[in-house]
Amino acid sequence: MAVCTVYTAQSLNSSCSISTPSKSHLRFHQKQVIFFTKRSRNTRNHVITCSASDAEKTVVIGLAADSGCGKSTFMRRLTSVFGGAAEPPKGGNPDSNTLISDMTTVICLDDYHSLDRTGRKEKGVTALDPRANDFDLMYEQVKAIKDGVAVDKPIYNHVSGLLDPPEVIKPPKILVIEGLHPMYDERVRDLLDFSIYLDISNEVKFAWKIQRDMAERGHSLESIKASIEARKPDFDAYIDPQKQYADAVIEVLPTQLIPDDNEGKVLRVRLIMKEGVKNFNPVYLFDEGSTISWIPCGRKLTCSYPGIKFTYGPDTYFGNEVSVLEMDGQFDRLDELIYVESHLSNLSSKFYGEVTQQMLKHADFPGSNNGTGFFQTIVGLKIRDLYEQIVASRAGAPVTAAKA
Amino acid sequence: VPRVVPDKKLSDLVAESVKEAEEACAEDPVSGECKAAWDVVEETSAAASHARDRKKESDVLENYCKDNPETDECRTYDN
């Protein structure tokens, strides 16, 4: 609710303005108040716009990952936690990268490319290079949305490689900015209420891209390898260092349960959670702060080769205190996940079995039988909890501010 | 506004970009040109894969029902 009560024109505070809507206002959205005053016979419309009150400010989440590393699967799991499917904006550009659901809007940071495909080729820079991106515009627009103001965001067309005409993005309850550089620019980083980094090891990245591209005409094992190798220096210089700023990192590594496994089918996934982050309490296994190794396979959980192994414990990550939960191996029967879920604490679920239920809902998504899907779902619940805590604390604050 | 690649299939685009990258790197394997060309390959491959996923997800009956919700095979009542 916007805290903006209007009685008479005199009592309006400075954050509100009255205008007659003769010219088009691009910035109107849910925070507009329209009232009518009848003067003799002609009716005049007045529009009062108020800057968003704290309680309605958008919560901003950043998700960083390389292309082809499962950002879209993560996004689908996240939006599903909030309920409702995410769809591209209706009636807009068919190649728009934006996804909108009731609660969340996901924007792809490729839309802030300052150089299009031809421009990058000419200058000899990759999309990973900061010089190919407009961080000033990214900052301005993310800040505007956070402050409750709609923006005209450009669209980078991944098919044509061109920058298309902009689309209007209205401030949602939760804004997710996903892409290569959500935490690169300090100003943008400071706008984030929570940040996640998907860290895919080189071995797994290679295996995933083979699965993705091998069937594609023109690609060979050599070309896939060459593409990863060519992008690696820029990736290491500009993308990878962002993980030190992330509140949660999901690391995907080859399994240690099978010696010399290179298939990338069985994965060891680590959820690294920063300690002391406001509104975020890390998940733990059995006993908070202890170091524990747990093999749940046995009478209560069916596991075939190579089984499942969980590890939990405190650690340091880039000089920060973190808690790390690790899962190596994969589930055979998804419904038995409830057994694992029942031994984890601080999941931020609303009812017993919610993680399992969310996983079963999307059993067809990649990673549903291993730690990638499991930890992504848990992070989704954590973000919902964070959002609810922020909204609750804001709802309390403006009342006292108004009375003061 | 006309598109640069109006109807060209994405798989053609991928094949083309791989060829271009191989050519760009034949001259100088550590140049910015070579690097940028392989980055374009990644971009087109990702776009092709996303398009494939979208196609795979669509169900023939579901699509038909979006346009014809009143037909026998599409009508659903909550209770």
Side-chain angles (χ1 to χ4, degrees):
Chain A
M1 276 282 289
V3 184
C4 188
T5 351
V6 182
Y7 297 105
T8 58
Q10 285 84 351
S11 76
L12 288 175
N13 61 50
S14 56
S15 66
C16 299
S17 61
I18 298 188
S19 61
T20 40
S22 47
K23 53 189 176 185
S24 67
H25 287 253
L26 280 169
R27 296 186 162 181
F28 286 166
H29 47 95
Q30 71 262 42
K31 269 164 288 284
Q32 71 179 27
V33 183
I34 301 175
F35 68 90
F36 303 91
T37 41
K38 279 204 172 143
R39 273 186 200 162
S40 55
R41 281 139 110 214
N42 58 332
T43 308
R44 286 174 64 186
N45 296 3
H46 294 281
V47 174
I48 302 176
T49 46
C50 306
S51 65
S53 73
D54 267 2
E56 258 183 86
K57 266 192 181 171
T58 296
V59 171
V60 187
I61 313 283
L63 172 66
D66 195 7
S67 117
C69 289
K71 279 193 299 272
S72 43
T73 308
F74 191 0
M75 277 343 335
R76 289 195 292 171
R77 287 190 199 279
L78 176 65
T79 46
S80 162
V81 167
F82 287 100
E87 305 268 356
K90 283 191 180 65
N93 187 330
D95 292 320
S96 164
N97 305 307
T98 305
L99 288 171
I100 297 172
S101 68
D102 290 347
M103 292 284 285
T104 55
T105 292
V106 182
I107 61 175
C108 173
L109 294 178
D110 288 353
D111 291 335
Y112 293 106
H113 281 340
S114 54
L115 298 170
D116 63 9
R117 192 177 288 162
T118 322
R120 293 196 305 272
K121 270 192 209 164
E122 277 168 4
K123 292 220 162 66
V125 294
T126 66
L128 310 162
D129 197 307
R131 285 173 292 174
N133 296 280
D134 186 347
F135 289 105
D136 292 340
L137 185 67
M138 192 191 292
Y139 167 66
E140 274 165 33
Q141 297 205 332
V142 174
K143 184 168 191 315
I145 293 173
K146 192 164 184 172
D147 290 338
V149 178
V151 298
D152 279 328
K153 180 190 61 57
I155 299 173
Y156 178 73
N157 189 315
H158 285 99
V159 179
S160 67
L162 296 170
L163 285 154
D164 284 353
E167 59 185 354
V168 177
I169 303 290
K170 291 180 187 169
K173 291 196 167 69
I174 299 166
L175 175 74
V176 184
I177 56 171
E178 59 103 345
L180 294 164
H181 307 93
M183 289 98 90
Y184 183 84
D185 187 281
E186 200 186 336
R187 297 166 300 170
V188 180
R189 198 159 69 222
D190 289 343
L191 292 173
L192 301 177
D193 293 292
F194 195 74
S195 53
I196 309 137
Y197 185 93
L198 285 185
D199 190 4
I200 315 300
S201 69
N202 291 325
E203 297 95 323
V204 176
K205 207 181 266 188
F206 186 53
W208 282 3
K209 292 205 170 160
I210 288 173
Q211 279 176 36
R212 187 191 73 181
D213 295 334
M214 230 11 202
E216 196 64 59
R217 208 159 49 76
H219 262 306
S220 61
L221 216 55
E222 286 70 40
S223 64
I224 295 167
K225 204 178 267 176
S227 180
I228 291 178
E229 286 301 317
R231 293 173 78 252
K232 201 173 177 302
D234 282 4
F235 182 84
D236 292 344
Y238 310 121
I239 312 303
D240 203 52
Q242 292 179 95
K243 63 189 181 194
Q244 62 188 295
Y245 306 115
D247 298 316
V249 176
I250 297 180
E251 245 177 38
V252 184
L253 304 149
T255 182
Q256 286 179 338
L257 299 172
I258 306 169
D260 305 313
D261 177 75
N262 287 317
E263 273 187 277
K265 283 197 181 112
V266 181
L267 300 172
R268 181 164 71 101
V269 188
R270 287 158 59 86
L271 174 59
I272 302 165
M273 299 162 281
K274 217 180 240 179
E275 292 286 343
V277 175
K278 214 180 157 202
N279 302 321
F280 172 64
N281 297 311
V283 176
Y284 66 88
L285 181 66
F286 297 119
D287 181 47
E288 193 166 15
S290 296
T291 299
I292 291 158
S293 171
W294 179 45
I295 296 172
C297 303
R299 293 198 183 103
K300 287 177 185 158
L301 192 74
T302 322
C303 303
S304 58
Y305 181 80
I308 302 177
K309 185 181 175 186
F310 277 88
T311 318
Y312 164 77
D315 206 343
T316 52
Y317 187 77
F318 290 97
N320 293 308
E321 285 275 308
V322 293
S323 284
V324 182
L325 180 64
E326 177 183 308
M327 176 186 156
D328 196 350
Q330 57 193 32
F331 305 109
D332 289 329
R333 297 179 45 143
L334 206 48
D335 47 352
E336 287 176 343
L337 187 58
I338 189 77
Y339 177 69
V340 174
E341 183 182 347
S342 65
H343 290 92
L344 291 165
S345 303
N346 261 352
L347 283 171
S348 299
S349 53
K350 298 225 162 167
F351 52 86
Y352 175 70
E354 192 179 14
V355 178
T356 306
Q357 192 213 46
Q358 280 292 333
M359 292 281 287
L360 284 167
K361 213 164 152 185
H362 306 296
D364 55 328
F365 285 9
S368 285
N369 66 342
N370 63 45
T372 56
F374 190 44
F375 291 161
Q376 285 174 1
T377 304
I378 290 174
V379 171
L381 296 183
K382 283 283 157 199
I383 290 174
R384 183 182 64 189
D385 191 28
L386 175 110
Y387 167 76
E388 285 172 356
Q389 286 186 52
I390 292 175
V391 169
S393 70
R394 279 173 185 169
V399 178
T400 48
K403 277 176 183 164
Chain B
V1 184
R3 289 269 161 71
V4 166
V5 273
D7 287 307
K8 200 187 270 181
K9 281 209 266 141
L10 272 161
S11 53
D12 288 325
L13 199 65
V14 175
E16 209 172 87
S17 63
V18 171
K19 229 177 96 208
E20 266 178 43
E22 280 163 352
E23 280 162 16
C25 296
E27 293 161 29
D28 183 358
V30 287
S31 63
E33 245 182 10
C34 164
K35 190 167 76 171
W38 279 120
D39 189 41
V40 171
V41 172
E42 172 56 32
E43 190 173 290
T44 54
S45 308
S49 144
H50 283 144
R52 262 201 312 273
D53 285 347
R54 267 200 298 276
K55 219 182 224 170
K56 207 164 51 190
E57 268 163 35
S58 66
D59 180 274
V60 183
L61 181 62
E62 294 291 339
N63 286 342
Y64 172 76
C65 288
K66 261 179 208 158
D67 301 327
N68 307 284
E70 284 306 311
T71 51
D72 278 348
E73 54 270 56
C74 296
R75 260 182 292 175
T76 50
Y77 299 102
D78 286 337
N79 46 47

